[in-house]
Every structure is written in structure tokens, then in C-alpha cells.
């Protein structure tokens, strides 16, 4: 019963099948093959964005950092939530790929930046120029690091402030499918129609093996991408095997089905947890993560029963605090019986 | 009557004389000359640090960024006050020279970090490792950006927490002489004896033309410095003219006399301002800067009278807010009559 | 009949099977899983190097650039053959990851550096210091870009000169298995026993989907690797799927069988080509590539028959020169009937 | 009798006087002062380039690296002579500031690139694209590292090839005044009229204390410069003291007088040396450097007589080779009696 991360899961059988099917004969490498073109077309179609540039990579950190490097120079500032993955968990990759841009964390409940907070931060960082640098980009994680999701209107409100201030808008969509499924909206509505310039579209967590896409809605901003990906070591040679994953994942809306299932499991889990004595659900469950505060006794029991999850934030004292705050993540392959089994073990 | 910055001032006549005296014959370039060796020795002597490495540069930003690049790798975090010059006014130079380190701003009254705030921040950033990076350095500005000064005990308390956590300790001493003069302590007591590994020792603002020193108390950390300075474009060829400034500046404790004078002028100015109706002095004046909040009417009168200073923070609306917050800086060449003239014009 | 690149081929069925077998249940991500540990152990065992650090990535460019970043600082020089892949085909990745190191190309017949040429180059670059930088690393490609292979003795002779001069030694082993197979020597003999510090061990071209290993024989040099890989966007989350490929590839010496087969096909192809009128084989075939100069007529016929390969070097005029120089690469999945068919079409 | 470098000399009295004159009162810092504006205007006027952007720095390495960073991205190639200062003596600064660009050295007699060699090199590097990077810039040193000077026609021929190939053109003019004086041509003719986009205009060696200018003839390419200079630590605060040097240096064509004098001294020195038995002058003396090969005996005598110069190249064996090759540089302050004294001592 592993709720530690959606990275702990495996690959969906239909995606394995797509990989097997792609393993035929010789094809051009580095993305010049037909499977890659088909996958790129399919992404463009799903996003209703015929002009978008679509690039595949094997890591979300690379996707985010490369996308940001198109938006922010080394003397730029990137505004993001203070708990954004790019700020807390990417070891300086955005700084490395941009050549030194500064990430400015904005606080906000539930992992979300409010328009007010963004506007206020832009005032505080209003002095641009040779000593202060330039305000370059806004990066929104959707679904957020706290399992919530920005709606199209929320994205649009933030992007509008950002664009007014001359910022490009990036969306870290490591769990974009979960956000789409949770909100039940169209990909275009949550991205370019709401003012997003670039999306890191995560597929790995949601049933793939290792593939993320960067979707650049304004292709003029895409010219450098190929050079930056290659010199960043991110260009995979037998490219068809990235693209085949993407095709299999999108085929027949598998990606949304998997995301919906993961979200449903998280709701189920939260519901069950909320009924346990002393348990508090800390965030509204909008996608596939559950944040809860639970008595230390219960935590001990969970660990003893082989129920895996992370303390959240990580800096809690593993032995001392009571209650403890935890994060549980459901994936495309979390089974209802896993959830029920976990709840039973804790009751 | 210019109180905008101590960068607006000129060069002390004795330093001009030192430059003229150094302008004799041919000497080895790039720091292999006797004037440079003498200046380095003099710094070591004043800091009671016979093993220290001493390097000269023409910009404080370069001094800070290079010093930090010895302490923090590209995946490191540098902890500093949220209004530290390295964070707000160096356009990503620390990020550039370190190869992407992340500056973590810590709030604190009067531009000062408290031990409690540092300790708490280190807990929040307690998760080190491949996703989070490493906690690498603490950078303290002394005198601070708000004109206050950390005492040797305060530095020691912070450095002790830092060292416990494995951090190197850097001091941005753009106005180090003003801090020394304000506190009336010895250079060694405010630096290495209190746990500081590296000092950016500012001389330009305090009467020189263009020279800053980096003093590296642990010479083992200095090995890379020469390479980093050269490839950063910071190695001046006719080096004797940097060193001559330093020698002139330190000769007969000129540096401390100049700093004491600037501090005294700031006290005078603050005292006079505090007597004006509606004026509030916002920070205890401990060195050479005065931070005040004044009625907009008074601000208009000051501008009309040719009294120059900066709104502080810069992001205030130049036409709207009432009262306005301002910063006035006194330099080595601020005359008592300038201060009195300004106060008279405002009365 | 594709001889363009060994990147054009697919994945060996046993490696596909290993991927399928790894797709079971939940396991820790980012390399903390048992499959990864097993793969690392297996590499250590094969190299008779129980202390070596072993890291997996999805691109050879990332492997090379990260390995070099452990050996060369931004002010370092990396010596390599003038046609080394790191110099001609990695878009500045080594410069990016090292923070600006300079690659110094050394000419040499058959893609190989001779001890004399290396020694002479080190004399020319003998002035180290703050203006010139430091001589940091030697990088040898084995098998070379021209299909030849350095023997253990040849590696040892070069590594010995390098080490004498204080250089670290890196081997770009994108086609390491082909070199091993061609030379019929043990992995340890061609690497650490001959003085190699780090190996980029290529698996993708030789039957895998997307996995390369960096083997660091001196684990003290490995400490930074994890940070550098992560912030370079090279850490794959569902890590077991890299490791499973490696395990499948090494199982039962599959890697050597595949390499031997590819090499044999190249010999067959070269033999057949050499019998065609006007054809000259330009390099002794020691691994899986054939370099030949052929009449333009024959080139036209080949293209018309669907035989794919690259002009080599690429800068030849596609329409004008006669004869033309070409590179043909055989892979693990090149069939004897492909070779024979190609030769028949050209006769 | 120091002929080691024009960096070993001092500051011309008129430039010292200009510094003293600039040391009056308070002025805006960071280049917003009237002296800076006047110096920038004067440069524009002398180059007949009213639109040019002019920036001042304290190091030639910074000037070169920053100029190149405007022309070449991290995946770009910069073509230069194989003995160009940017390639041999700037410790990776161009690589650092560009974010990883690759310098491609072109051989050529007398430190000069010929049009044929440039064209041929561009063919060899003709494969641009995601694996190879892009061809970004040509950098010409004028006067060259071997004391020769490109004429306007020679520059134009090279720049024309470069521009055809899409390259920007940079001129490293560390000794630009010496080239101008040697050729007796106008600044504009040797730069923008011949196709140069950016000039590093050296003043330090030619009588100043520490100031170099970057002149950007196409101001659209200048926008980033301010940010890049600041974050590179190259923005000097009391900027008037850089600008005052430039004004004093250009006033009444002092710069050309000083360069003419240095050139004349080099001619005198070469003439005298050429008459000594066993001495060969290796390069036509066109500016202020003399390259000669002399018997080791003579070399010993020179050293014993206190005549300073460098072995050239540096990698010669200080004790062994006979004859030895040397470089002697004359400066603005080399006196005829120094030259005559040296010649006398060697006769």
C-alpha cells in the first residue's frame, strides 16, 4: 500500500504495448521519425493548438528548467509559489538552465498564488533595471504541490496580471492530467486560452515510463529549445520510444481515465481518513493527493502496517511531533482494495 | 547636498596622492608588484590574520559573488537577509558566479537576521539532498543595508549556528569600516574571531576610487580565487593602482577616520531631522545612513532645495504616498555645513 | 537497409522483456529500488570494481558532460581527439556542465590520439596559471568516432602521460561494448586498470531503449554526481526502468554478443564493399562502423536502392564531389541479409 | 628597461590630471554622470558613429567576454586566431560569459587569419544544427597578438565572409590605438565601415590606469549589455573615474600620439636588434611589439643587464633551447634612451 508518490507506480499495459509496437525496424533517430511526428500532432490536436511546438524529454525537472530558460534570462526573476517544485525540489535546475535567474517564492494557501499576492509581489519587485534585474516569468504548478487545482479563470486572472507586467507564463503540469480531470475542463482552456505560454506536460507519473512534454504555444519562443535541450543532455536518441509512450497515453483518452481514477482513489482515501478519530484533512482534495494531520499513534500503526507515505513537510521530526502532517498520493494504479485495505488497517 | 549614496562622493586627497606616488616606472602587472604585496600585508596585519589571502577588485558585486562562489556550489543555498544587497541589487551575480546557487532571504528588523530566525530557516530548509540541494553559506551584511551594525557577539551567535549546520560564513562589508567605527571594535573581532570565513571589504564608498578587497581567512578556501577572478573579468592588469588606493586608505587609520566622520554626519542629520514636525526616524542610526519617514510636503521642499536622496524602498509611488520613506547616506566627504544647510532648508 | 546510425535500431527482445518484468507493483523512485541496486552491482562486478559508483542516465551527452564536470572546473582544459563526439556533436554540453571548460582537439589518424601527439599538446598548453587555466582532463572515445579501438596498452600509455600531467582520464564509451568485443579484452583492462577514472558506458546504441551509465572508478570523485545529475535534469524518476534495461543487457553477456554481431556485420560489409570497383575502405574496421570512399555513381545507386548512410564528414557537398566519403554503421539488429542485400544492390 | 608588457607601464600625466579634475563634488554613480556622458559622446564622435553604445569597464577580458556574450549563445561557435588572447589568455572568460560557447582557433602567419583560412574553417564547421551548434561570431584581434595589424581592407574581407555566414564580428582592440597609428587610418574605417559590430577598445595599456570601452556599433545588440556587465561584477560605482580617463586619453589625440610613440620605439628596437649577430626579427613590426629569435648567450646577457621581456611562446624551456624566441613590447612610456640603453647592453 504505497502512497508515497505517483513516481513509485509502474507503466500502464497499453503504454507498454505501445512501446512494443514501436519496436519495429530502423527509423530516424533524435525525433525525426514518424511516431514522434504523430505524437506531436496528437498533442497539438488535443490542445487545439496547431502551431504549438512540442518536445519530449525524460524528466520533469528538465522540462521545467528548459521551458523557463526560454522565458527568463540570467538576470531575470521567476515568480512562483513558495512551495513550487521548481523552487523546493529541483536542486537549482532552473537557475542552472537559465544561467542564474532568481526564483521568487510567493506564499499562498493550498499551494495557490492569489491575484492579490501576485500583484503585491510585483510591486515589491517593481524596481527593474540594471541593479535589480527584470521580472521575467510566472510559473504556476497545476495541479499544485498541495493537490489543489487552479481553474481556467484562476489561471487567466494570474496570467493577465503577469502579462500586463511583461512576464511570460509557464505552467508546471507534472500532474496536469489530474488537474484537467479534477476540473473537467479542456486542455486549451487551462493553458493558452487562459494566457499560458508554455506547459510542462507530465506523463511519467500518470502511467508512462519516462516521458514529459514541453508544449510551447507561441512557436516563436521555441527556436532555441532544440539547442538548449541537446546541450542540456536532454535529447534522447531513440526518440520513438518517448513518442510511443505519449501516443499510447493519449490514445482513447487513456491519460484522462488514469487521472480520473487516481483522483477518485484520493477522494475515497480522504473520505475514509476523515472518519478516523483525530484525523484532519488539511487540503480540499481536488486531484490525486491527500494532505492530512493525524495522531502520532495512528502514524505508527500505519508504518507498522506497511502503509507508505511521506511526512509533509519533510522537515518534521520523525520521532517527536504529535500530531504529524502527512501526504498520501494515489496513482493510476492505486487499487480501491489498496485504499480500503489501508483504511481498514488504520481503523 | 547629495545624500543619495556614498557612491556619489569623490576620492580622498591622500588616496589621490597615493595613486600619484604609485605612478613611477615599470612594475610587474596583475598583482605581482611590491605595492600589491605591501597592501596585502597591511590588510593581514590590520586583521591580525597573517595567513589570510587578500585579493583586490574594482567592484563590490564581483567581490561578493566571487567570495560566495568559493562557499556555495551551483546546488547550494546561501542564506541572507531578505533585503541583502546580494539579493536585491546584484542582478543575479551570486547566481552567475556560483553556477546557480539559490539565495534564501530571511526577514528581520533593521536589516538584521536574528539567531532565532536563522535557526528556524535552517529547519525549514532542513531537507538537504539530491532534490533539495545543500545548505552552503550564510552571508551577513555589516553594516547592514539599513545602517545598523552587527556586534561581534551577534556575528558570533549567527556564525556559530551556521557552522554547526555546515555553512561557510561570508560578510558583505561594503560599509565594513562604518560598522567598525560605529561599534568601536577591532577588525578581527568582527570577522574571523567571530566565525567569518570571508570578508568583502569595501573601500570605494569610503574614500577610494574603485577598489574592494576579498579577505579569505582560511587560505585553503582561496586556491580557486585567482582563476575565478580572472575568468570573471575581474583581474585588473595595472594592479598597483588598486593596491595603492588600499595602502593610502589604511595609512594612519584614514579608513576609520573617514568612516567615523561619515557616521557622525549621519547622527547629526538624524538628530536634526527628528526635530522637524512629522518626521520619524525609522532605524537607530548606527553607521552612516539615516532612514526616515517624512511628510510629502517636506519631501517636495527637499527636492526643490536640491537635497538629493532615495525613496526607500524604491517601489514607493513618487507622486502619491504621504508620508514617504527615505534613505539619506552620509559619506566621508559630507560636510557639516551640508548637513546644517539641508536641515535649515527643511525647517 | 539502414546503416545511418546504431541509434536507428530498436530494442532487443530480452531487454523489452526485462522492462516488462520490472513493471510490477510499487517501488521507491529515483534509484532507491532493488532493480537499480542490482544493476549497479552487476556493473561493478563486470568491471571488477567493487568500489565504483554507477549512475544511470538517458543520454550519452549527459553522461559525458556530467563525467567531465567532475574532472574539469570552468577554467580547465579537456584534451580530446579533434573529431571527438564531445567536441563535434554535443552542442557545448561539456562547456555547459563544466561551467566553461575548454575542449582542446588533438589531430590523429583513425580517430586516435597518439602518446606523442598528447605529449606535444601538453607542451603547447604547458603554461598553466591564472591567465591560461589548468589542464584538467583527457577524454578518449573508445571505440573511436572512426570505428577504431584503443587497446588496453594504448589507453594505458595515454593515461599515464595524462596522470603525470595531473589530468583526470575520462572514456567516452558510447560504443564501449563494440570496443571490448573487437579487442576481446576485459572491461577492467580497458578502463581502470589502464588508468581511466570515469567511463560513459553506452547501452542505448547496443540494444537498449534509452540508458547510459557513468561508472566512476574512484568513488571520492563521485560525491557531486547526484547533485549535478539532478540539477542537469538527468535524474529519471521511475528509475527501475533504466536499471532493468541495464540488467537485461548485461544478462548472459548479451551486451557482448550484440556487439560482436554488429562488429561482424561491419566486417562483412567492408569486405564486400572493398571488392566493388572504385571503392576504398578508409579505416581498418575494428568495431561496427565502416568508412569508405566510393564513386559518386555508386553513391547515387545506393541512395536509389534505399541504402541509408551518412556522408562523412557531413560537410561534403551532397551534389558535387566525386568520389564521396561515407560512414556505414552496423547495429545489433543489422541482419546478414541486410548486408548481403546492400552489397548485391551495389554490384 | 622593461619590455615585458605594456601593462607594466604607468599612467600618462594628462590622464592623472583628468582624474584629479574629475574629483570634484558629488555626482550620480554607475555612469549617470556628465563626465561619463561626455566620454561616451567623444568616443561616438571619434568613430563617426552617433548611434553607437559605449560602455566602460576595468578589464579587457571582461570587455571581450561581454561583447562576445552579445554575439554568441551558449551553443555558438566563435572563430578566432589560434593565438588570440581570448583563446589563450582569458581562462575561459568567453566561455563563462556566453554560457558555454566554443572558441575555434584558426592558424595563420603573423597572428592573422586569412580570408581563405576563414572560409575553409567555415566549411569544416559547416554542419550547424542541434548537434553541432551554430556559427555565431568572428573575433579579430587588432593589432594582433603578434604585433601585426589588419588593414581596413583585410578586416572588410574577413567581415564580409563572416557576415555572409551569419556571424557577428567582434574586434579585440586591446592595442587598437597602436593599430590605428601603425596603419594611419580612421577609427571608423578599421571598424564599422569594415563590418565590425563590436569593438573592445583598450585604453589601459596605452596610458590609462584601468579602463576599457566596449563600443557596440549596432545599438540594438546593446540592450542586454547593462545587465550582463552588472551581473558579471563589471559595473564600477564611481563611474566618473573611468570616464575621466577616457576623456583625458582622447583629448587632443593623446591616444594616437602615445600609440605612435610606442610603435616608433618598437621600430627602433627591432632595427637595433636586427643588427646584432645571430638575431632574427620574426615578425614585421607594425605596431608596438617586437618578436625576435636570439642566441641563448644574448638572452643571458639581456637578463643579466636587467632587460625584461617574455619568452614567446611561454612554453619554451627557460634553460635549454638555443636560440630562444622572445617578445619585447614598447609602451607609451618607453623612452628612446631605454631602447638605446638596451641595445648598447646587448652589443
Amino acid at each position: 500500500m504505497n502512497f508515497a508518490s505517483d513516481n513509485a507506480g509502474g507503466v500502464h499495459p497499453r503504454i507498454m504495448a505501445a512501446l512494443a509496437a514501436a519496436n519495429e525496424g530502423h527509423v530516424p533517430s533524435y525525433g525525426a521519425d514518424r511516431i514522434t511526428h504523430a505524437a506531436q500532432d496528437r498533442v497539438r490536436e488535443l490542445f487545439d493548438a496547431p502551431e504549438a511546438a512540442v518536445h519530449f524529454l525524460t524528466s520533469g525537472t528538465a522540462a521545467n528548467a528548459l521551458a523557463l530558460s526560454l522565458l527568463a534570462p540570467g538576470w531575470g526573476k521567476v515568480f512562483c509559489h513558495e512551495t513550487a517544485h521548481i523552487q523546493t525540489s529541483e536542486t537549482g535546475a532552473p537557475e542552472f538552465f537559465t544561467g542564474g535567474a532568481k526564483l521568487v517564492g510567493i506564499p499562498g494557501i493550498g499551494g495557490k498564488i492569489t491575484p492579490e499576492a501576485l500583484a503585491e509581489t510585483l510591486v515589491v519587485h517593481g524596481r527593474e533595471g540594471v541593479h535589480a534585474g527584470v521580472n521575467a516569468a510566472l510559473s504556476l504548478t497545476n495541479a499544485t504541490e498541495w493537490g489543489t487545482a487552479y481553474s481556467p479563470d484562476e489561471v487567466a486572472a494570474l496570467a493577465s496580471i503577469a502579462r500586463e507586467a511583461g512576464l511570460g507564463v509557464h505552467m508546471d503540469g507534472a500532474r496536469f492530467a489530474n488537474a484537467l480531470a479534477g476540473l473537467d475542463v479542456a486542455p486549451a482552456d487551462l493553458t493558452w486560452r487562459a494566457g499560458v505560454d508554455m506547459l510542462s506536460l507530465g506523463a511519467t507519473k500518470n502511467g508512462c515510463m519516462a516521458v514529459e512534454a514541453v508544449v510551447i504555444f507561441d512557436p516563436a519562443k521555441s527556436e532555441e529549445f532544440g539547442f538548449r535541450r541537446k546541450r542540456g543532455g536532454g535529447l534522447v536518441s531513440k526518440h520513438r520510444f518517448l513518442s510511443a509512450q505519449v501516443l499510447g497515453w493519449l490514445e482513447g483518452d487513456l491519460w484522462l481515465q488514469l487521472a480520473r481514477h487516481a483522483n477518485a482513489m484520493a477522494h475515497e482515501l480522504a473520505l475514509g481518513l476523515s472518519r478516523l478519530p483525530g484525523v484532519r484533512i488539511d487540503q480540499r482534495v481536488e486531484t490525486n493527493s491527500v494532505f492530512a494531520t493525524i495522531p502520532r499513534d495512528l502514524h505508527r500503526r500505519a508504518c507498522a502496517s506497511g502503509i507508505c507515505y511521506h511526512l509533509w513537510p519533510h522537515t518534521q521530526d520523525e520521532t517527536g511531533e504529535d500530531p504529524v502532517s502527512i501526504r498520501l498520493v494515489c496513482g493510476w494504479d492505486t487499487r480501491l482494495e489498496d485504499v480500503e485495505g489501508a483504511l481498514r488497517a488504520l481503523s
Side-chain angles (χ1 to χ4, degrees), chain A:
Chain A
M1 288 169 298
N2 191 313
F3 302 100
S5 171
D6 29 13
N7 279 327
V11 180
H12 190 274
R14 277 167 56 188
I15 293 165
M16 288 303 278
L19 283 169
N23 193 21
E24 272 300 312
H26 290 81
V27 306
S29 46
Y30 295 116
D33 64 286
R34 277 188 302 180
I35 298 175
T36 298
H37 295 154
Q40 290 167 329
D41 284 345
R42 188 73 188 110
V43 172
R44 282 189 273 262
E45 196 183 322
L46 276 167
F47 279 84
D48 201 7
E51 305 297 327
V54 180
H55 304 281
F56 302 128
L57 291 142
T58 56
S59 118
T61 292
N64 286 334
L66 283 165
L68 291 171
S69 77
L70 300 179
L71 294 174
W75 47 93
K77 291 182 188 168
V78 174
F79 298 89
C80 60
H81 193 272
E82 66 181 4
T83 64
H85 196 267
I86 58 169
Q87 175 73 305
T88 66
S89 306
E90 301 190 352
T91 333
E95 289 85 349
F96 181 49
F97 280 85
T98 58
K102 204 180 274 290
L103 271 60
V104 179
I106 303 176
I109 292 169
K112 289 165 85 169
I113 301 170
T114 61
E116 295 68 35
L118 175 59
E120 190 182 306
T121 303
L122 288 171
V123 167
V124 171
H125 289 266
R127 182 178 66 120
E128 293 187 279
V130 84
H131 297 276
V134 298
N135 297 333
L138 171 68
S139 179
L140 302 173
T141 315
N142 208 14
T144 73
E145 285 76 10
W146 293 90
T148 55
Y150 290 102
S151 71
D153 282 355
E154 287 174 320
V155 173
L158 291 162
S160 154
I161 294 169
R163 286 163 165 272
E164 193 108 338
L167 310 185
V169 180
H170 166 252
M171 182 170 281
D172 175 358
R175 296 188 180 98
F176 183 74
N178 301 93
L180 276 190
L183 295 160
D184 196 19
V185 298
D189 290 339
L190 201 54
T191 55
W192 65 267
R193 284 202 194 109
V196 172
D197 293 300
M198 296 183 199
L199 170 71
S200 303
L201 173 59
T204 307
K205 288 184 168 74
N206 190 225
C208 286
M209 184 181 280
V211 67
E212 311 281 310
V214 174
V215 187
I216 307 177
F217 296 107
D218 174 356
K221 290 191 173 140
S222 155
E223 207 182 351
E224 292 180 13
F225 193 92
F227 290 106
R228 288 185 174 275
R229 178 176 57 176
K230 169 70 185 176
R231 74 148 183 166
L235 178 58
V236 167
S237 58
K238 293 182 173 175
H239 217 75
R240 57 172 142 167
F241 295 107
L242 301 192
S243 314
Q245 294 177 62
V246 172
L247 274 181
W249 184 60
L250 296 177
E251 172 77 24
D253 280 347
L254 178 62
W255 67 314
L256 295 177
Q257 292 168 29
L258 299 181
R260 265 183 228 119
H261 172 80
N263 291 1
M265 291 302 98
H267 277 95
E268 202 63 29
L269 182 62
L271 189 66
L273 286 174
S274 71
R275 287 171 180 153
L276 299 176
V279 169
R280 189 183 69 219
I281 302 300
D282 293 326
Q283 300 289 339
R284 213 174 102 91
V285 176
E286 296 177 358
T287 57
N288 63 320
S289 300
V290 177
F291 293 85
T293 298
I294 66 173
R296 179 160 288 276
D297 270 358
L298 194 61
H299 170 56
R300 279 203 205 94
R301 189 130 42 91
C303 296
S305 314
I307 303 172
C308 291
Y309 49 76
H310 284 302
L311 295 193
W312 210 261
H314 289 287
T315 43
Q316 283 171 91
D317 172 5
E318 178 69 62
T319 58
E321 296 176 42
D322 186 9
V324 296
S325 296
I326 65 173
R327 185 194 74 166
L328 306 105
V329 186
C330 296
W332 69 271
D333 53 357
T334 302
R335 293 168 306 173
L336 184 55
E337 63 202 77
D338 295 335
V339 173
E340 290 173 348
L343 292 172
R344 217 163 26 239
L346 297 176
S347 295

